[in-house]
Amino acid sequence: MAVTRSLRSTRRSRAAAAEAEAEPEPGEAAEATTEAAEATTEAAEEATEGTGEGTAEGTGEGTAEGTAAGTEERAPSSASASASVSASAAPAPLLQQSRDFLDLFWGIAKPAQDERLAATAALVERLRERPQEAELQYALKRLIEGLGATREAARPGFSLALSQVLQALEDVPLLGVLEQIREKHDLQRKKFLRNAAFGNFFGVLALFQSGRLVKDHKALVEAVRLLQSLAQHRNHLQDLPHRTLVDILSEVPEPVFEEALFSILQADFTSAFSSPEQLQLLLVGLQRFPGVLQPRKLKKLLGSASVVTKETVPRLVEVLSTAAKSVKKEKVLPPVGLDLIRVALQEGAFDLFWKDVVEAGLLEEPSGPSSYAAFRLLGSALPLLSLEQLHMVLHGEVMRRYGNHVLSAQLPSRFKFAPEMEKYVSTFMEGCEDPEKQLAVLVAFSSLTNQGYPVVPSLWPVVKHLQPEVLNRYSSWLQDMFLRPDLSSCLEFSTSRQKKHAAEDESRRVETTEKFVFRLRKWLIQRLTSIVENPHVTKDEAFVLGIARFCFFHSFFETKKPSKDIPESQQQVSVPLDSKSRDASGNAFFSLLQTLNSLPLLRDAPKTPPSLPRGKASHGVMADGQLWTQHLVQYADFLLSHSKNVRPVKPFSTEEKAAWDRMLQSADRLRQRVKDSRGAEITAFLQLLLLVGIHLFKAPGECVDLLSDLQNCIEKALDKKAAAGAQDPQWVEVMVEILLSLLSQPSRLMRQVSRSVFAHVCPHLNRRALQLILDVLDPEQEEDGAVVVTEEPGQRKRPAAAGEDESEEDSASDEDSSDNSEGSEDRDSDEASDGEVDSGFRQRLMTVLQAGKALEADGESSEEELDDDAMMALDARLASLFAEQKLRTQAKKQEKDKMQKEKNLRCDFKIKVLDLVEGFLIKQPENPLVLELVEPLLAVIERSMSRNSAKQEQDFLRKTADIFTNQLCRAKQYCHSVAGQAEDFHAMLERLVQRASHQADSTIALYHFSASLYLLRVLKGNAAEVPAALSPKKQRKISAPPQVEGSSCLDLARVTRLYTEALTSFLSKRNSPLTAAMFVDLFSRHPMICRQLLPVILPFITTGARPYHQAQACLMLLKALQMRELRQALEGPAWQELIGDSIRQTTESLRMVGMAVTKRTRLKMFKALELLIFLVKTVKEEKLPTSLEAPLAVLQTLRQSKHLGTTGRLSDLTWQALKLLGVQRPKEDKVRVSQNTAEAPEDLGRRKRKKGFLPETKKRKRRQEGSEETPATTAAATEGTGKRKRKRRRKSKQHQTLPGLNGTVEGPQSPSKTPAPDPSQTEVPRPQALVNGASRSAAAGSEGPRKKLRASKRKTGLDATSPATPMVKKARLPPTGENSSPKARLRKKVQPLGPEGSPK
């Protein structure tokens, strides 16, 4: 990606300089180009690792600190030191200046781009405003040194800064700066070759970016020569020098090129065909300086007067192939490719280049990059070609190979070039102003077919850039190809497998042609509708209406005699439309109708149609306010009235024609009433009526009765005087049945319109209509089959990449289907044989064997031998029996699959019906019928959760639970008119709470309990007798808590008794589905119930069934006491009494804690302590006359027990409560172990051993004979082997027991050889290893302040020895090559100070 970014940045900077499209800031432009070059060099460094340049890289990187990167990589604190190092080059006064100037060079190398730019700008401003020769020379030196740094962002930073300094200070000679660069970064020093190459390159880049290089001819010549020499170091720099040369040529004027550069670049021009970089250099020169590189000179250089000739074709193919492989990872077009196209067009040899170089050269290469390079050449050449050249390119072998790639790249692991080609075409369409070229490219890609089906998707987004004229012409071409398919005009291609099958089967040529025509028509009609569905395409009403009429006419009508009044009848059909093509067209039409139903107003239309009320949404209507569906119905009636010219494919019967006429009459009456107050409702009814009416052409048998019922329902709904009889169903019930039947259809448009109509029907819904919806969701009525769910295969629209779905294996699918079916049958028979054998089949088998005398009557084998005829007859009967059994097994499997399919369809239908339930809850939350949904939805949830369900049923359960929880139980609005049914809802509330208490799953119990809270809210919010004149604010005041008992229809005593029983059951039973969260939710929603239930909770703090229940009682009491509403309701003695009782119960609960503290007991103590802390705080803050002596005594006892431990949450809570009672937590002092007292053996064993250390009993007894060690010495020696020592032992394997340098074994040393202890230290100093009576040097193992600090941290846990008795410790010989270690060098540089302040 770094190389890709650099290529793009380089091209962008060159294009910006050549075309002058934008003028960025000088600093930012230079920064972008420099960073791009840096990214490419970093990629080159990674690519060349391990390729033989390890020595150069290692030396370059290893010496970065002391060479090129040394100055800029130091921190600001060491800037003055770096300045002193450079004192020889700068005068002495420079070092005495402020640090700000020196810190600028540190900021130039920082990783953040903003900081680098700021530092660069500050440096340039300082050098411009206060010009001093010393500062300028120092700055140039620092910047030149930083060009070869290896630190990230250092090279581009210093290169940018140098270019800006040279641009600002024109007095600085470029040639002198270039000489300093070459001298500082000498390419002859092989040890630093890599850094030197980078330094020279970034130096030339800085000179070029300064803008002065083109003006200074001598510096320009030297810079070009330096770049030529840098091109030899391709392992480090890749093709960066050649790219920079190309950029320089793009900026140099023609006279300067002829005078200064032509002679220098002549050798590169002569070897142009040797590499892509040199060829690109020549191509850029030909485009920039045609007056210099004339054919006469070009013939001297190349041997031919032009670049693209028949003689140079093989060399051009080789160069392009090499360039394509070099950018394989970047997936871009090589820069030389586009330049070669331009030069070929300039020389008039594009046809030769495309046919011989691209088609006969690159496409014949076996490698993939060459083919992708040909595709990229095709996409990049589109804006440069003429119309004739476009026809030649788009109907050639490259397009066929691209189509083959699109089919073969459908697997997920394959590289897909189609998105990149789409970008090329989209860029061409957006920038092309010639309509002929736009149409030619679009038609060419639409004609690239495989077996008649185009490879580009039907929803190709490039059409959004078409001009209106081109869009109309393209639509006409699609319609003409649909009516008169011309397969010869298409660019047809076949895969190798398809060619193989076509050669094997020559007899099916006619069937193949018909198949190709059908596939082409199927794509064309989908492409037509996709243009309308694309919201980014600019279109008008005439265009959309023309496509809709075309699809409708050719789906359901055919021409008898052309007529001028019917433009569609004048279009001739060369190949008759078969039933499959008409079905595809019909499906596309209804998909288009769905889009038109939600289509906003098109251009040149008023925002609000005349027939719609102001401010209403104008979706699905035309500019005159007429529905799109209505206009299409009128068009269909117009076609039916012209029976002499056109006729329906399926003519209407008398009954169907009568239903159509009645539908039109009803639609006219509804249209006249659209402007009434019920305009939205009438519009929804009209849309539904028209939609069902137009479906008469698709399914006339189903829509006749549906239309009749729908018309009756609409008339009754709009007629206020109409009243149904007692036995007759209401119109809303019939309407709900119709909507349910429409929901069962596979049409998405039907479902959408059904939901829209139901939203208007909701206010008129009654109990019987709602029951029809609930019967669908009722789990008990699943087997009744009241609603038939249909599924029409092939009705779903193809995805956007429809062309890609037609894979190359289509031709072999028919041949493979028989094998697959046979294999599946074998697997089915095997599966059936693995299962239990049918008893009937066993009996029939025994009957056949007995008839053939193979078995006796008792089931034993017969001893008689059968002759051949009897054996053959027996085999035939057995074969017939097994074939019959196989058919039975297959029939059972098919029946099982059918039942599973019906089950899935039924579940899918239920999910659709849930949309109606959700719409009803959203539209009518205050309807009393909402309460009728509570128990049925709970039954659905309970039934679905009690069985193992598939994913589809899980989705149904999830959606049901979401609707029940969010739209019902948590609804902001609820019914306020249930006072007359208060008794029924109280009974329902009791059922819900009781069922919640008896559930086996707490999740189901939670849904029941939530429903009870919703009912409680409804009962509390409904007044027994609410005056009609009260305002909504006053009605809300009626349901306030202080007035609930007197004004609401809630029976508080009955409800309190109900929840008291549930709460008692929860706290007294060992297993209960109820949880404390349910009652906390009850308390927070209904504080009046909370006040009544507090006396129930208090006893269970001490008498709960288990400690868990006691903890939950503490939790519920704490949540209740923290409620503001409860505090406001309880005032004076009542609140004081409640707090006192709570303190007594909590104290008693803590006193009951026994010795065996379990996890549940700790939970109980945790909750009890939290409650006690709140109670004590309340007593203290409100100054209640409540005694706190009992809690204090219990807490003191609890603190002294072993239940809490020394640390932990329980201990912290206990001390928090004691602090409130006036007892402060004492500070714990660290206890030191006596130095002269050794631990007992049992204490040593009991103490936890450190990880990684052996106990004393497991250690080897490698002690010197005669040496006596005290226990304290042993303990100290054991402690001396810590983690720090283990790390040393891994590095060094020379472990000896007190060795001396002369091979002697040393014993305990005398006190005279031990360093004197520091009087300021209270602990015993850590003993040092003794070598020949002297302590080891700091280089081998320093004993600095860090070790003394570690020793002071461990002093409290060890038995230290007295200062007079030195400890014996194993000494370690210094490892070989000691000074080679970085840590050793660091220790050698920095000598730690000893206790006395002197170096050790």
Side-chain angles (χ1 to χ4, degrees):
M1 296 305 295
V3 180
T4 306
R5 187 167 59 250
S6 66
L7 288 173
R8 292 176 180 173
S9 301
T10 306
R11 288 200 303 269
R12 190 183 304 113
S13 61
R14 185 170 67 244
E19 301 176 3
E21 294 179 353
E23 187 66 20
E25 292 291 333
E28 295 179 357
E31 175 73 0
T33 308
T34 311
E35 285 188 346
E38 167 65 11
T40 309
T41 54
E42 293 296 335
E45 295 168 22
E46 296 178 0
T48 55
E49 289 182 357
T51 58
E53 300 293 337
T55 305
E57 291 183 5
T59 56
E61 293 178 354
T63 60
E65 296 181 0
T67 57
T71 57
E72 75 276 7
E73 291 184 6
R74 294 192 183 97
S77 60
S78 60
S80 59
S82 64
S84 63
V85 175
S86 306
S88 59
L94 178 64
L95 302 180
Q96 301 174 2
Q97 296 182 7
S98 64
R99 288 283 303 277
D100 298 338
F101 176 69
L102 301 178
D103 291 344
L104 292 177
F105 300 97
W106 169 257
I108 291 174
K110 287 187 176 180
Q113 181 180 359
D114 297 337
E115 297 180 1
R116 292 200 304 269
L117 292 176
T120 302
L123 178 62
V124 173
E125 183 179 2
R126 181 184 181 93
L127 294 177
R128 185 191 295 117
E129 292 181 355
R130 293 186 294 177
Q132 296 182 11
E133 185 65 22
E135 286 189 355
L136 178 60
Q137 295 300 326
Y138 180 78
L140 291 176
K141 179 180 179 181
R142 288 288 301 269
L143 295 177
I144 292 173
E145 287 180 352
L147 294 174
T150 57
R151 186 179 176 187
E152 181 182 3
R155 282 193 293 257
F158 282 102
S159 178
L160 168 66
L162 181 59
S163 66
Q164 295 301 303
V165 169
L166 294 177
Q167 182 180 4
L169 305 177
E170 297 184 358
D171 297 337
V172 179
L174 295 185
L175 190 60
V177 174
L178 184 60
E179 291 297 332
Q180 293 183 32
I181 294 173
R182 299 177 66 172
E183 181 182 355
K184 179 62 181 178
H185 306 286
D186 189 5
L187 294 175
Q188 302 300 325
R189 300 172 62 186
K190 300 298 183 181
K191 188 175 182 180
F192 308 107
L193 179 61
R194 178 168 167 270
N195 292 337
F198 287 148
N200 282 276
F201 170 72
F202 278 101
V204 175
L205 193 62
L207 297 181
F208 173 63
Q209 288 175 346
S210 66
R212 298 172 49 195
L213 188 61
V214 180
K215 303 176 184 178
D216 192 343
H217 296 180
K218 294 183 179 179
L220 178 62
V221 170
E222 294 299 327
V224 170
R225 289 177 177 173
L226 181 57
L227 287 175
Q228 289 177 333
S229 63
L230 290 176
Q232 302 175 4
H233 306 286
R234 186 177 178 84
N235 292 334
H236 299 303
L237 300 177
Q238 291 189 349
D239 58 342
L240 286 177
H242 283 99
R243 286 192 210 168
T244 309
L245 281 175
V246 170
D247 293 339
I248 292 176
L249 289 183
S250 302
E251 299 289 338
V252 172
E254 187 171 353
V256 177
F257 172 77
E258 183 177 7
E259 178 183 352
L261 297 183
F262 178 73
S263 58
I264 301 174
L265 298 175
Q266 189 172 359
D268 293 332
F269 293 157
T270 304
S271 59
F273 294 105
S274 61
S275 67
E277 293 81 9
Q278 293 179 337
L279 179 60
Q280 185 185 5
L281 194 64
L282 175 63
L283 296 177
V284 173
L286 287 173
Q287 298 176 63
R288 287 280 300 162
F289 317 110
V292 179
L293 295 175
Q294 297 179 355
R296 178 174 49 83
K297 291 185 178 180
L298 198 61
K299 189 172 184 180
K300 292 181 180 180
L301 295 175
L302 301 178
S304 60
S306 59
V307 176
V308 182
T309 60
K310 291 185 178 180
E311 292 77 12
T312 60
V313 165
R315 306 174 70 179
L316 289 176
V317 172
E318 182 180 358
V319 170
L320 284 178
S321 179
T322 304
K325 294 176 182 178
S326 64
V327 294
K328 178 181 178 180
K329 295 182 179 180
E330 291 77 13
K331 300 177 183 178
V332 294
L333 177 68
V336 67
L338 191 58
D339 293 331
L340 195 55
I341 292 177
R342 292 194 179 100
V343 171
L345 291 172
Q346 181 179 344
E347 296 176 350
F350 179 77
D351 294 350
L352 175 64
F353 167 75
W354 192 260
K355 292 180 180 179
D356 293 354
V357 177
V358 179
E359 294 183 350
L362 286 179
L363 290 182
E364 299 300 327
E365 292 285 335
S367 61
S370 299
S371 299
Y372 297 141
F375 300 157
R376 294 186 177 100
L377 286 173
L378 170 64
S380 302
L382 293 179
L384 306 176
L385 305 181
S386 63
L387 186 61
E388 294 77 11
Q389 291 169 343
L390 284 175
H391 283 291
M392 185 265 295
V393 168
L394 295 175
H395 292 80
E397 188 62 28
V398 179
M399 285 289 288
R400 284 194 176 92
R401 188 68 63 87
Y402 169 71
N404 201 343
H405 161 77
V406 172
L407 287 188
S408 61
Q410 292 182 0
L411 297 178
S413 59
R414 301 280 183 90
F415 169 68
K416 297 176 177 58
F417 191 81
E420 190 173 345
M421 181 61 75
E422 180 180 320
K423 292 181 181 178
Y424 281 121
V425 178
S426 181
T427 303
F428 166 76
M429 292 291 182
E430 187 176 4
C432 181
E433 298 180 357
D434 188 354
E436 296 295 336
K437 290 184 179 181
Q438 277 192 344
L439 183 63
V441 171
L442 198 58
V443 169
F445 276 95
S446 301
S447 303
L448 182 60
T449 59
N450 172 253
Q451 295 184 352
Y453 203 92
V455 296
V456 295
S458 59
L459 293 175
W460 213 24
V462 299
V463 295
K464 65 182 180 182
H465 302 298
L466 294 180
Q467 303 176 17
E469 177 189 355
V470 180
L471 184 63
N472 292 328
R473 294 175 61 183
Y474 181 61
S475 175
S476 301
W477 179 84
L478 292 173
Q479 296 177 16
D480 186 68
M481 284 291 290
F482 181 84
L483 299 175
R484 293 180 294 275
D486 186 9
L487 296 178
S488 60
S489 64
C490 297
L491 188 62
E492 179 69 23
F493 69 93
S494 301
T495 61
S496 57
R497 182 178 298 182
Q498 291 171 351
K499 293 178 182 178
K500 178 180 179 181
H501 286 286
E504 294 176 356
D505 193 359
E506 295 287 345
S507 61
R508 301 176 61 184
R509 186 177 300 275
V510 178
E511 298 179 2
T512 302
T513 304
E514 295 178 355
K515 179 183 177 182
F516 287 5
V517 171
F518 165 69
R519 286 162 59 87
L520 178 61
R521 281 175 167 169
K522 185 178 180 180
W523 183 90
L524 291 170
I525 201 67
Q526 290 177 357
R527 186 59 183 271
L528 271 174
T529 58
S530 69
I531 294 176
V532 180
E533 295 171 359
N534 193 340
H536 302 288
V537 176
T538 304
K539 47 191 176 291
D540 53 9
E541 289 186 353
F543 177 80
V544 175
L545 202 56
I547 293 179
R549 286 180 175 182
F550 178 85
C551 296
F552 179 77
F553 180 85
H554 294 289
S555 299
F556 306 111
F557 287 88
E558 57 185 2
T559 304
K560 295 170 59 178
K561 182 181 179 181
S563 173
K564 295 182 180 179
D565 298 333
I566 307 175
E568 290 77 18
S569 64
Q570 295 180 342
Q571 300 172 346
Q572 299 179 359
V573 180
S574 61
V575 180
L577 293 169
D578 55 358
S579 58
K580 295 192 299 182
S581 299
R582 291 189 184 274
D583 291 342
S585 180
N587 296 333
F589 168 74
F590 284 105
S591 174
L592 177 62
L593 194 61
Q594 176 187 348
T595 303
L596 296 178
N597 189 45
S598 58
L599 187 68
L601 287 175
L602 301 177
R603 64 175 186 175
D604 301 334
K607 295 183 179 180
T608 303
S611 61
L612 287 181
R614 191 161 195 163
K616 296 293 183 181
S618 53
H619 289 267
V621 297
M622 302 176 66
D624 57 355
Q626 192 177 20
L627 293 172
W628 286 97
T629 311
Q630 182 179 349
H631 186 90
L632 293 174
V633 168
Q634 293 176 356
Y635 175 70
D637 185 63
F638 177 76
L639 294 178
L640 290 174
S641 63
H642 287 67
S643 58
K644 295 182 180 180
N645 302 103
V646 296
R647 62 183 176 185
V649 177
K650 297 179 181 179
F652 282 169
S653 62
T654 305
E655 184 181 5
E656 295 167 358
K657 187 64 172 64
W660 174 263
D661 294 337
R662 289 197 307 270
M663 184 270 299
L664 292 178
Q665 296 174 4
S666 300
D668 291 338
R669 290 194 297 269
L670 289 175
R671 189 165 54 252
Q672 295 174 2
R673 300 181 57 180
V674 166
K675 295 183 179 181
D676 294 347
S677 59
R678 304 171 63 182
E681 183 179 348
I682 293 174
T683 302
F685 287 150
L686 177 61
Q687 193 173 20
L688 179 61
L689 182 65
L690 295 174
L691 182 60
V692 177
I694 206 170
H695 269 77
L696 274 172
F697 292 96
K698 184 178 182 181
E702 301 176 1
C703 296
V704 172
D705 297 335
L706 192 61
L707 269 177
S708 178
D709 296 337
L710 184 59
Q711 291 171 11
N712 295 333
C713 291
I714 293 175
E715 292 176 359
K716 292 180 180 180
L718 300 179
D719 190 2
K720 299 180 180 179
K721 298 180 180 180
Q727 301 297 329
D728 298 335
Q730 297 287 336
W731 68 268
V732 69
E733 301 170 17
V734 181
M735 179 64 74
V736 169
E737 289 184 354
I738 294 173
L739 295 179
L740 289 176
S741 63
L742 294 179
L743 279 178
S744 64
Q745 300 297 324
S747 174
R748 183 181 178 184
L749 178 59
M750 281 287 193
R751 297 195 297 270
Q752 182 180 357
V753 175
S754 299
R755 290 194 295 266
S756 176
V757 173
F758 183 78
H760 297 284
V761 175
C762 283
H764 309 282
L765 212 63
N766 57 15
R767 181 174 282 102
R768 293 172 61 180
L770 182 61
Q771 190 61 38
L772 292 174
I773 299 176
L774 295 178
D775 289 342
V776 179
L777 302 176
D778 189 4
E780 301 297 335
Q781 299 186 8
E782 286 187 356
E783 306 299 332
D784 295 345
V787 180
V788 179
V789 185
T790 59
E791 181 186 30
E792 299 181 11
Q795 297 298 320
R796 295 185 178 180
K797 185 177 178 182
R798 296 182 62 87
E804 299 180 3
D805 293 340
E806 303 289 339
S807 60
E808 60 184 23
E809 288 83 9
D810 289 345
S811 60
S813 59
D814 297 335
E815 289 78 359
D816 298 338
S817 59
S818 58
D819 300 336
N820 294 336
S821 61
E822 293 177 1
S824 62
E825 292 176 0
D826 296 340
R827 289 193 297 269
D828 295 340
S829 60
D830 295 341
E831 292 176 0
S833 61
D834 294 340
E836 297 181 358
V837 181
D838 187 8
S839 59
F841 173 69
R842 183 189 298 273
Q843 185 64 31
R844 290 191 295 272
L845 179 61
M846 293 184 65
T847 302
V848 170
L849 292 176
Q850 290 175 4
K853 297 182 181 181
L855 287 178
E856 300 291 343
D858 55 356
E860 297 293 335
S861 300
S862 177
E863 297 181 356
E864 298 181 5
E865 295 184 0
L866 301 179
D867 54 2
D868 293 342
D869 295 338
M871 184 63 71
M872 294 295 293
L874 179 61
D875 290 344
R877 287 193 292 270
L878 288 175
S880 175
L881 178 62
F882 278 98
E884 181 182 359
Q885 179 63 20
K886 185 177 182 180
L887 292 177
R888 284 196 183 93
T889 304
Q890 292 179 0
K892 289 182 179 179
K893 186 177 183 301
Q894 293 176 358
E895 184 67 20
K896 184 178 180 181
D897 294 342
K898 182 180 179 181
M899 293 177 62
Q900 182 64 31
K901 186 176 181 179
E902 291 178 355
K903 184 177 179 181
N904 294 337
L905 291 175
R906 194 159 44 243
C907 185
D908 185 60
F909 175 61
K910 288 182 178 181
I911 294 176
K912 299 174 187 176
V913 174
L914 281 177
D915 293 337
L916 301 183
V917 176
E918 185 177 12
F920 177 66
L921 291 174
I922 294 175
K923 294 292 183 179
Q924 296 290 320
E926 299 183 359
N927 197 319
L929 293 178
V930 172
L931 299 173
E932 302 289 339
L933 296 172
V934 175
E935 292 185 317
L937 291 179
L938 283 174
V940 171
I941 294 174
E942 186 174 356
R943 179 68 178 272
S944 301
M945 294 185 67
S946 61
R947 59 185 178 185
N948 296 328
S949 56
K951 181 181 182 301
Q952 195 174 16
E953 294 182 355
Q954 292 177 2
D955 295 339
F956 170 66
L957 170 62
R958 191 178 297 109
K959 187 171 184 179
T960 306
D962 179 72
I963 292 174
F964 179 80
T965 303
N966 299 323
Q967 305 299 337
L968 181 62
C969 296
R970 297 179 182 176
K972 295 183 179 180
Q973 300 176 356
Y974 56 90
C975 181
H976 294 279
S977 58
V978 296
Q981 301 175 346
E983 182 62 30
D984 297 337
F985 291 127
H986 277 90
M988 184 190 297
L989 181 62
E990 291 180 354
R991 291 196 302 270
L992 291 175
V993 176
Q994 291 174 3
R995 288 170 61 182
S997 303
H998 294 85
Q999 293 291 335
D1001 190 356
S1002 60
T1003 305
I1004 303 178
L1006 176 60
Y1007 287 112
H1008 285 81
F1009 201 86
S1010 300
S1012 70
L1013 296 182
Y1014 172 73
L1015 278 180
L1016 184 59
R1017 178 189 178 194
V1018 172
L1019 290 173
K1020 186 185 70 171
N1022 279 267
E1025 293 181 2
V1026 180
L1030 292 179
S1031 63
K1033 292 184 179 180
K1034 293 182 179 180
Q1035 290 181 4
R1036 285 195 294 268
K1037 290 181 180 179
I1038 292 177
S1039 59
Q1043 303 175 1
V1044 162
E1045 299 183 12
S1047 60
S1048 69
C1049 61
L1050 176 65
D1051 189 351
L1052 186 58
R1054 183 176 178 180
V1055 172
T1056 302
R1057 183 169 58 253
L1058 177 65
Y1059 283 106
T1060 299
E1061 294 176 358
L1063 183 58
T1064 304
S1065 173
F1066 165 58
L1067 295 176
S1068 59
K1069 291 185 178 180
R1070 298 173 67 87
N1071 295 321
S1072 176
L1074 304 178
T1075 60
M1078 300 179 186
F1079 291 99
V1080 171
D1081 194 11
L1082 171 64
F1083 296 163
S1084 61
R1085 293 190 183 187
H1086 307 284
M1088 58 175 183
I1089 304 294
C1090 173
R1091 179 180 178 182
Q1092 304 296 329
L1093 295 181
L1094 283 180
V1096 182
I1097 299 177
L1098 281 173
F1100 287 101
I1101 295 178
T1102 57
T1103 62
R1106 289 182 177 181
Y1108 170 77
H1109 297 86
Q1110 299 175 18
Q1112 298 305 310
C1114 295
L1115 173 64
M1116 289 187 290
L1117 182 58
L1118 176 62
K1119 296 296 183 182
L1121 294 175
Q1122 290 175 347
M1123 292 171 53
R1124 183 182 58 183
E1125 295 83 357
L1126 180 66
R1127 181 65 184 90
Q1128 294 175 355
L1130 295 176
E1131 296 180 357
W1135 176 255
Q1136 180 180 349
E1137 182 181 359
L1138 178 60
I1139 295 297
D1141 294 342
S1142 302
I1143 291 178
R1144 284 191 292 272
Q1145 291 292 336
T1146 308
T1147 304
E1148 184 62 26
S1149 177
L1150 291 174
R1151 185 181 289 111
M1152 293 169 56
V1153 177
M1155 290 299 296
V1157 180
T1158 61
K1159 184 177 180 180
R1160 297 181 182 273
T1161 308
R1162 288 184 176 273
L1163 176 62
K1164 168 192 168 181
M1165 294 173 61
F1166 185 82
K1167 298 299 180 183
L1169 287 172
E1170 285 185 340
L1171 176 59
L1172 185 59
I1173 290 173
F1174 173 79
L1175 294 172
V1176 174
K1177 282 184 179 180
T1178 304
V1179 171
K1180 294 289 186 179
E1181 291 175 358
E1182 300 183 7
K1183 299 180 181 180
L1184 300 178
T1186 304
S1187 177
L1188 299 177
E1189 296 181 358
L1192 179 59
V1194 172
L1195 290 175
Q1196 291 284 10
T1197 306
L1198 194 64
R1199 181 182 65 84
Q1200 297 175 1
S1201 64
K1202 297 182 180 181
H1203 302 332
L1204 303 179
T1206 58
T1207 59
R1209 181 61 177 160
L1210 283 177
S1211 178
D1212 294 341
L1213 286 175
T1214 304
W1215 280 110
Q1216 186 177 353
L1218 287 172
K1219 184 178 180 181
L1220 293 174
L1221 294 174
V1223 180
Q1224 296 295 331
R1225 188 171 187 173
K1227 295 183 179 180
E1228 297 182 0
D1229 297 333
K1230 295 183 179 180
V1231 181
R1232 295 185 179 181
V1233 183
S1234 177
Q1235 297 181 356
N1236 298 326
T1237 306
E1239 284 187 350
E1242 57 271 11
D1243 294 336
L1244 286 174
R1246 190 183 301 113
R1247 188 177 63 181
K1248 183 177 180 180
R1249 297 192 300 270
K1250 291 186 177 181
K1251 185 176 180 181
F1253 289 88
L1254 291 175
E1256 291 294 332
T1257 55
K1258 299 292 185 179
K1259 288 185 177 180
R1260 294 180 180 178
K1261 302 298 182 180
R1262 298 179 61 184
R1263 300 290 185 265
Q1264 180 66 24
E1265 295 181 1
S1267 63
E1268 298 179 357
E1269 300 184 29
T1270 62
T1273 306
T1274 306
T1278 305
E1279 181 63 25
T1281 56
K1283 293 184 179 180
R1284 180 168 47 85
K1285 287 305 193 178
R1286 290 206 311 274
K1287 187 173 181 181
R1288 290 182 177 180
R1289 284 200 296 271
R1290 293 192 190 102
K1291 294 182 179 179
S1292 176
K1293 298 182 179 180
Q1294 299 179 0
H1295 294 283
Q1296 301 179 7
T1297 305
L1298 297 176
L1301 291 180
N1302 297 328
T1304 60
V1305 179
E1306 300 182 2
Q1309 300 299 318
S1310 60
S1312 60
K1313 296 184 180 181
T1314 304
D1318 188 3
S1320 61
Q1321 301 289 340
T1322 56
E1323 72 276 7
V1324 180
R1326 186 177 180 87
Q1328 302 180 5
L1330 303 179
V1331 181
N1332 284 342
S1335 59
R1336 295 177 58 186
S1337 64
S1342 63
E1343 300 288 338
R1346 181 178 300 178
K1347 289 190 176 183
K1348 294 197 295 182
L1349 179 60
R1350 292 179 180 175
S1352 64
K1353 290 183 179 180
R1354 292 191 294 264
K1355 63 184 179 180
T1356 57
L1358 296 174
D1359 292 333
T1361 57
S1362 60
T1365 306
M1367 297 184 63
V1368 181
K1369 173 182 173 184
K1370 295 181 180 180
R1372 182 169 61 89
L1373 288 175
T1376 58
E1378 175 181 13
N1379 295 331
S1380 61
S1381 173
K1383 291 185 178 180
R1385 292 199 302 268
L1386 182 61
R1387 297 191 191 102
K1388 190 173 182 179
K1389 292 179 182 178
V1390 183
Q1391 290 288 342
L1393 299 178
E1396 302 295 336
S1398 58
K1400 287 187 179 183

